[in-house]
Amino acid sequence: MRRISIFGATGSIGQSTIDLIARDPESYHVVALSGGRNVAQLAEDARKLNAEIAVTAEVALLPELREQLAGSGVEAAAGEAALIEAARRPADWVMSAIVGAAGLPPGLAALEQGATLALANKESMVCAGPLVMQTARAHGGAVLPVDSEHSAVFQALIGEDIAAVERVIITASGGAFRDWPLEKLAGATPEEAATHPNWAMGQRITIDSASMFNKALEVIETKEFFDIDPALIEVLVHPESMIHALVGFRDGALMAHVGPPDMRHAIGFALHYPERKTLPVARLDLVKLGQFTFRAACETRWPALRLAREVMATGGLAGAVFNAAKERALDAFIARRIGFLRMAEVVEETLNRVSAQSGLITAGITLDNVRAADHFARVTADEIITQD
């Protein structure tokens, strides 16, 4: 029986993970589940899976969580320290699906126990990719990608020589505004940005899809995860969202990973790796689908992609600054304090100001330094937003 933990259990990735393990409960012992404000869902899942411990990030909600778990035998806890303690409990496989930079510390704690980390928290690689991979190597752990694009690249590279790779293409849906005229984008509202043309996701991730900040993070993650030259990484808009990534080799061949937009495939691949087991995902009818289409990812429409390349060129802690500024700009857009196009401008201004601080970007990539860069970037971004 495999011991597993799921951090970010109440989000879409966490719920999809629970769906898979609940179909074969005899194979798993659930150590820890974590969530945010949805303590009712967290408690329900912890009871259903007979978890050892359930942790909410919201300390004020601990009494409610305890009440929901009363008589179940499941331990209740709250806050960052409790989350780290839960991540340090022995587990074979850990899903890292907490949104944002908050997912980094528990992910590192799990790797320090030698666990296999299924990484859906792209911010961990963006903020501290070298630290994540170094921690895995030092403690005998492993990192498996769960973002559909990176899972696709990983699968295409199985049995291949990374030195033979000529290009890596990750695809993007284009989000809510892929067909909007450029002159209309300045007036886009949070509600419009949060309406995805292909599927239903959370508000923040859907807006990040519209601004392409989500894809910008994935470009940086591709570089960090596969240790690949940024010049080899391309982005294409693929409205059908069926081809998740392509890997091109020096002999001219392109290997594409094709599948339905269902995260249970990437989760299931990571859960069962290196085996492939039957998964409850749709099988594509290619005749019915008819065609695949592609468009160039215009950096005028999506300046986040240009900023991602500048971050990779800068290196160091630039990724941590980029992510923190993006999160604060997104907060401000949702609160209607800034416009849609202003988000990228805030991130760029933050990067420029923080880069001017001697030694901050180039400091070694440690957890303390990542936290310091993250904090300074958030303060700087807030100052820029307040000046608007």
Side-chain angles (χ1 to χ4, degrees):
M1 182 176 288
R2 295 175 72 197
R3 300 164 301 173
I4 72 168
S5 292
I6 304 171
F7 296 107
T10 57
S12 61
I13 297 295
Q15 289 295 292
S16 292
T17 306
I18 288 170
D19 175 73
L20 292 180
I21 66 173
R23 293 168 185 266
D24 186 19
E26 301 299 319
S27 296
Y28 305 102
H29 169 71
V30 177
V31 177
L33 299 179
S34 84
R37 301 191 63 82
N38 191 353
V39 294
Q41 185 68 59
L42 178 61
E44 178 185 336
D45 291 330
R47 282 177 171 273
K48 178 174 67 176
L49 300 174
N50 195 28
E52 291 180 14
I53 184 171
V55 183
T56 173
E58 304 290 336
V59 175
L61 296 179
L62 180 56
E64 182 180 346
L65 180 61
R66 283 178 173 153
E67 181 180 349
Q68 298 262 359
L69 290 172
S72 68
V74 179
E75 183 181 347
E80 184 180 13
L83 188 62
I84 300 300
E85 189 277 327
R88 288 180 175 148
R89 296 192 178 198
D92 304 303
W93 188 90
V94 175
M95 168 57 74
S96 173
I98 296 172
V99 175
L104 176 60
L108 291 174
L111 287 172
E112 287 169 357
Q113 314 314 309
T116 292
L117 188 69
L119 190 62
N121 173 258
K122 59 177 63 65
E123 292 87 354
S124 290
M125 295 301 287
V126 171
C127 296
L131 178 60
V132 171
M133 302 308 280
Q134 176 188 337
T135 303
R137 288 190 297 269
H139 297 276
V143 185
L144 295 176
V146 174
D147 270 346
S148 58
E149 296 80 3
H150 304 95
S151 177
V153 174
F154 185 88
Q155 293 179 55
L157 288 174
I158 293 174
E160 300 290 346
D161 180 0
I162 192 71
V165 173
E166 190 173 72
R167 60 203 294 216
V168 172
I169 303 170
I170 60 174
T171 61
S173 68
F177 304 141
R178 67 188 179 204
D179 298 318
W180 279 37
L182 285 173
E183 60 270 18
K184 188 180 175 183
L185 291 178
T189 67
E191 292 78 15
E192 290 168 330
T195 304
H196 199 282
N198 292 5
W199 54 79
M201 302 185 292
Q203 180 194 43
R204 297 179 71 84
I205 186 67
T206 307
I207 296 174
D208 277 349
S209 176
S211 66
M212 209 72 93
F213 266 109
N214 187 54
K215 202 57 51 178
L217 293 175
E218 290 174 1
V219 168
I220 300 170
E221 185 181 4
T222 301
K223 182 258 184 186
E224 296 294 346
F225 198 98
F226 300 103
D227 193 22
I228 191 169
D229 184 342
L232 304 183
I233 304 170
E234 305 172 28
V235 177
L236 284 179
V237 176
H238 171 50
E240 294 84 6
S241 298
M242 297 294 179
I243 298 178
H244 304 297
L246 305 95
V247 177
F249 297 90
R250 59 189 173 199
D251 62 356
L254 271 175
M255 288 192 182
H257 180 282
V258 185
D262 186 332
M263 286 304 299
R264 290 178 299 177
H265 174 82
I267 295 166
F269 181 82
L271 181 62
H272 302 304
Y273 180 80
E275 297 180 62
R276 282 190 186 270
K277 293 190 176 181
T278 302
L279 295 174
V281 299
R283 273 49 176 174
L284 293 184
D285 183 336
L286 295 179
V287 173
K288 184 177 180 180
L289 187 61
Q291 64 180 357
F292 295 137
T293 57
F294 302 94
R295 308 178 196 172
C298 173
E299 293 186 1
T300 300
R301 178 181 292 274
W302 295 297
L305 298 175
R306 170 181 57 81
L307 294 176
R309 298 203 177 276
E310 294 177 7
V311 165
M312 292 187 292
T314 301
L317 292 170
V321 174
F322 177 80
N323 178 71
K326 188 275 297 183
E327 290 188 10
R328 296 305 293 144
L330 177 57
D331 290 340
F333 173 65
I334 292 172
R336 290 181 167 78
R337 297 178 62 198
I338 62 174
F340 181 76
L341 296 179
R342 182 62 176 148
M343 286 191 288
E345 295 172 355
V346 167
V347 173
E348 184 165 20
E349 289 178 36
T350 302
L351 282 165
N352 290 339
R353 289 195 191 183
V354 177
S355 294
Q357 300 293 317
S358 176
L360 185 60
I361 291 288
T362 57
I365 302 179
T366 66
L367 183 55
D368 285 345
N369 286 346
V370 168
R371 282 173 164 159
D374 178 276
H375 174 73
F376 189 75
R378 289 174 192 273
V379 170
T380 302
D382 287 343
E383 290 173 351
I384 293 168
I385 291 164
T386 300
Q387 293 167 2
D388 281 10

